[in-house]
Amino acid sequence: MKAPKYKMIIHYIKEQITNGIWPVGSRLPSQRDLAKQFGVNRSTVVTALDELAADGLVEGKLGMGTVVVNNTWTLMRSAPPVNWNEQVGLGTHQASLSTVQAINLAESNENLIQLSKGELSKDLFPLEDMRTVLTKIGQELEPFGYEDPKGNPQLREAIAKYLNQKGIMVHASSILVVSGALQALHLISIGLLEKESTVFLEDPSYLYSLSTFQSAGMKLHGIPMDNEGIIPEMIKASHHSKKSVLYCHPTFHNPTGTLMGEKRRQELLKLAESAQLPIIEDDVYGDLWLDSPPPSSIKSHDRHGNVLYLGSLSKSLNPGLRIGWIAGPEAVIDRLADLKMQTDYGSSSLSQRAAAEWLSSGLYEKHLSNVRKQLKVRRNAALEALEKHLSRFAEWNRPTGGFFIWVKLNHNISLPDLYRRALANGVLINPGRIYATQKMQHFRLSFANAPVEDIKKGITILESLIEDC
């Protein structure tokens, strides 16, 4: 005989509590959500919750709804249970902004048109070449364990050769393999900077959507940008001390897509050297030029070890490999390598071997050639759609590489409202406020992830929503 529906709800909730999915202190879904989930009236849910409350497992709390107060094991003990929910937020690392958390969750929803995602489309994933690479390293595989503290020697040699071709004259001993550029920033923040150091950065900047430096006790100081990126004179005008560092993203800046010219790069380096201001140069989009190669990196002009250079395969090849690198003075790399070993004992050995094969075999350059062609098609389609549908309401620059178009809306349009309504209508965009400390009338539109038809459809939906606003 089938159990009554309220008993099914009781069993489900007990299972969630017993398995630790809803630990003590957790807030249960609302009565309305539970009723919808089980296809019953709210009165049936109330009956189930009343029985659970009578058993001492849950309790209704004013302003919080129904909360887990015990589990089946803690009911057997006289001592009160540990409430892990009270521990959340007590750690030293700050949580992401609530909007960023919501976007991260929404980016896994395949039903949404992803105009936010900073990741290459699955259509651009070189599946056959990746199978070839993995087959080759599998055939050559011997027993392996932890890698060298700085990373797999063959991979570091391949990265050094790749950087040398870009004019960055470094040796394998001056390179640290990391699990993406984000880990590089984390290691730098905990290993090279004192608490209360000042990090100068572009305003807006990708770093404002992260808590990496702030959690390590650093202060972010935004510097205005023009159409060539960060303005050196504005750094000079700002008070800085020996406890300062400059983070910059000169090539296809995230989120604005700005490309810094050769002259500006040399001005920035000259200023930094005279002011003894170290530079962290983030170049994760540098290979993704669409019209013509960008100017040489700042690091390629560095003759005094003033610049730490960050690169990655996450944007140009695949984020699942989790392979990036830091190039810099050997003493600095030694310090960061020690910290990385303390953190995770090295990036995946298999991923490092795969990355080494991609870089040394010529497959990476072949792949980049195809990606540039496809991204150019997507960028042009996005720009055409923007011109057709949003030219009355917004303005933007034409990016010459990377993934993003930085769209500025007219001031009479509510960007928070547009973001919420777009999401409700199946379109995800990144509001500009997550990239800056002040209110911004911009949003970041990615043309890298969604199919061309979805890019056009998404922009058409945005037009209709703006008209409604």
Side-chain angles (χ1 to χ4, degrees):
M1 183 176 176
K2 195 173 182 180
K5 287 192 173 181
Y6 84 93
K7 289 284 189 183
M8 293 170 61
I9 298 172
I10 290 172
H11 175 75
Y12 168 75
I13 294 175
K14 280 186 174 180
E15 194 173 57
Q16 300 296 95
I17 295 172
T18 302
N19 291 336
I21 297 171
W22 293 345
V24 173
S26 297
R27 180 177 174 179
L28 268 62
S30 68
Q31 294 177 10
R32 179 181 297 173
D33 288 344
L34 286 170
K36 184 178 179 181
Q37 180 179 343
F38 287 93
V40 298
N41 295 324
R42 288 179 67 180
S43 59
T44 305
V45 174
V46 171
T47 301
L49 295 178
D50 285 347
E51 186 163 319
L52 289 165
D55 289 342
L57 291 171
V58 302
E59 184 179 304
K61 295 194 175 183
L62 187 64
M64 291 185 64
T66 305
V67 177
V68 178
V69 292
N70 277 302
N71 60 42
T72 50
W73 291 103
T74 59
L75 287 172
M76 299 168 64
R77 300 171 56 228
S78 58
V82 172
N83 185 343
W84 277 105
N85 289 275
E86 291 180 352
Q87 303 296 117
V88 174
L90 297 183
T92 57
H93 203 286
Q94 298 177 20
S96 299
L97 299 171
S98 58
T99 303
V100 174
Q101 292 186 45
I103 290 170
N104 289 339
L105 188 62
E107 285 187 343
S108 63
N109 185 345
E110 295 185 357
N111 295 319
L112 295 176
I113 295 175
Q114 297 287 348
L115 299 185
S116 69
K117 219 169 188 178
E119 178 182 338
L120 285 175
S121 168
K122 290 180 181 178
D123 296 341
L124 301 181
F125 181 68
L127 184 58
E128 289 307 315
D129 284 341
M130 185 63 82
R131 283 175 174 155
T132 300
V133 166
L134 294 178
T135 298
K136 181 177 181 183
I137 65 172
Q139 290 172 342
E140 298 173 352
L141 199 61
E142 296 178 351
F144 61 89
Y146 297 123
E147 294 284 356
D148 182 285
K150 293 182 184 179
N152 178 276
Q154 287 73 36
L155 175 56
R156 287 189 288 117
E157 288 288 352
I159 293 170
K161 185 176 180 181
Y162 161 77
L163 294 181
N164 291 168
Q165 292 169 350
K166 289 172 168 280
I168 302 173
M169 308 314 293
V170 292
H171 299 288
S173 59
S174 297
I175 293 169
L176 171 65
V177 177
V178 289
S179 299
L182 184 56
Q183 185 183 48
L185 294 176
H186 173 69
L187 293 174
I188 291 168
S189 69
I190 63 173
L192 301 180
L193 305 179
E194 293 183 59
K195 280 192 174 182
E196 299 187 357
S197 293
T198 298
V199 179
F200 292 107
L201 70 165
E202 296 105 336
D203 188 8
S205 172
Y206 172 62
L207 275 194
Y208 278 117
S209 69
L210 305 174
S211 56
T212 305
F213 283 108
Q214 300 97 312
S215 295
M218 313 303 155
K219 302 171 186 174
L220 300 186
H221 185 118
I223 301 295
M225 299 174 65
D226 59 16
N227 60 2
E228 280 204 55
I230 199 165
I231 304 172
E233 289 75 16
M234 299 302 291
I235 300 173
K236 193 183 297 184
S238 302
H239 173 74
H240 70 273
S241 65
K242 296 283 187 183
K243 296 170 67 174
S244 301
V245 65
L246 168 63
Y247 169 84
C248 64
H249 197 160
T251 307
F252 314 129
H253 172 260
N254 182 8
T256 68
T258 302
L259 176 64
M260 185 180 290
E262 177 72 30
K263 183 180 178 184
R264 175 69 59 86
R265 293 172 190 239
Q266 300 214 28
E267 288 174 0
L268 196 60
L269 179 61
K270 185 177 179 181
L271 166 68
E273 287 176 345
S274 63
Q276 294 186 306
L277 180 67
I279 296 178
I280 304 167
E281 180 181 11
D282 190 333
D283 197 28
V284 296
Y285 297 98
D287 286 334
L288 298 174
W289 51 268
L290 305 182
D291 300 319
S292 59
S296 301
S297 67
I298 297 173
K299 180 64 178 173
S300 68
H301 301 289
D302 178 26
R303 299 294 177 264
H304 304 287
N306 207 64
V307 181
L308 289 181
Y309 178 88
L310 311 185
S312 172
L313 296 180
S314 294
K315 305 303 180 184
S316 54
L317 179 58
N318 183 261
L321 282 175
R322 304 311 306 135
I323 294 295
W325 51 84
I326 310 173
E330 195 166 333
V332 173
I333 296 302
D334 288 343
R335 163 66 171 158
L336 297 180
D338 174 59
L339 290 178
K340 179 164 170 61
M341 289 296 285
Q342 294 184 49
T343 303
D344 63 7
Y345 256 86
S347 301
S348 162
S349 183
L350 288 175
S351 286
Q352 291 190 65
R353 291 165 195 231
E357 180 64 22
W358 272 99
L359 289 171
S360 61
S361 65
L363 284 174
Y364 182 60
E365 285 299 328
K366 170 190 161 188
H367 165 71
L368 282 178
S369 179
N370 178 58
V371 166
R372 290 179 189 127
K373 291 175 185 175
Q374 297 301 321
L375 281 179
K376 192 169 185 176
V377 170
R378 290 162 179 267
R379 177 202 62 183
N380 292 346
L383 290 171
E384 288 170 12
L386 285 169
E387 184 63 34
K388 180 178 179 180
H389 297 286
L390 297 191
S391 57
R392 293 173 292 157
F393 311 112
E395 58 187 61
W396 53 87
N397 291 326
R398 177 187 178 89
T400 58
F403 289 171
F404 309 118
I405 302 172
W406 190 234
V407 181
K408 182 180 181 182
L409 292 170
N410 297 341
H411 283 287
N412 59 341
I413 299 168
S414 169
L415 186 59
D417 189 38
L418 178 62
Y419 162 74
R420 289 190 294 268
R421 297 178 79 173
L423 186 57
N425 283 272
V427 181
L428 183 62
I429 57 175
N430 278 12
R433 68 178 181 274
I434 68 175
Y435 302 110
T437 53
Q438 76 280 10
K439 180 180 177 182
M440 297 209 76
Q441 199 60 14
H442 297 73
F443 68 88
R444 192 191 77 175
L445 186 150
S446 170
F447 52 83
N449 191 264
V452 168
E453 290 309 310
D454 277 0
I455 292 172
K456 295 177 180 177
K457 181 181 177 182
I459 293 172
T460 303
I461 292 172
L462 292 178
E463 177 190 26
S464 65
L465 295 176
I466 291 172
E467 286 177 336
D468 288 344
C469 290

